[in-house]
Amino acid sequence: MKRGLILFAVLLSPFTPPAFGGVPELNVAAVCKARSVDAKMLQSSPDQSTADCVREEQAAKQQLGGLWTSTSVARRNQCESDARALHTTSYLDLLACIQIGQDLKPDPKKKTGKQ
């Protein structure tokens, strides 16, 4: 039982739930390091250096901060859930998911074509 709880905690460690509805706190260094390790395992060169990855993730976090509170809780939860299920949780992934959700929202200003 203890081993199961420890394993569960380790698997969720890169993803910490948001405090008070804010942007989730992610371990960006761990995310970027994992990408680099994955590239080495696949015997391919990483797309970018770890330092570049960290910079991009931090920039995405800042951009996400502006969108997070204006996004529905249901959409935020769906994006977080999808990222955890795919083991791809990063600020870039969350930002893309939120932006896609906004693009898919029906625009009340647009006419549906029905009269």
Side-chain angles (χ1 to χ4, degrees), residues 15 24 26 31 35 56-57 60-61 64 68 75-76 78-84 86-101:
F15 180 80
L26 304 176
V31 168
R35 286 182 189 159
E56 283 187 14
E57 286 291 332
K61 180 181 180 183
L64 187 59
W68 195 257
R75 182 67 189 166
R76 294 187 321 225
Q78 184 64 50
C79 290
E80 291 178 73
S81 176
D82 290 349
R84 279 192 304 263
L86 297 171
H87 304 288
T88 60
T89 307
S90 76
Y91 290 117
L92 288 168
D93 294 333
L94 290 173
L95 179 61
C97 182
I98 296 293
Q99 289 173 331
I100 289 169

Side-chain angles (χ1 to χ4, degrees), residues 9-28:
V10 169
L11 290 174
L12 291 181
S13 64
F15 180 80
T16 305
F20 306 109
V23 176
E25 287 299 321
L26 304 176
N27 184 342
V28 173

Side-chain angles (χ1 to χ4, degrees), residues 34-78:
R35 286 182 189 159
S36 179
V37 168
D38 288 346
K40 287 178 186 173
M41 282 181 20
L42 296 172
Q43 298 179 347
S44 67
S45 60
D47 292 338
Q48 61 188 175
S49 71
T50 301
D52 288 341
C53 174
V54 169
R55 276 192 293 279
E56 283 187 14
E57 286 291 332
Q58 292 297 344
K61 180 181 180 183
Q62 286 183 326
Q63 194 174 354
L64 187 59
L67 296 172
W68 195 257
T69 55
S70 64
T71 301
S72 73
V73 172
R75 182 67 189 166
R76 294 187 321 225
N77 288 342
Q78 184 64 50

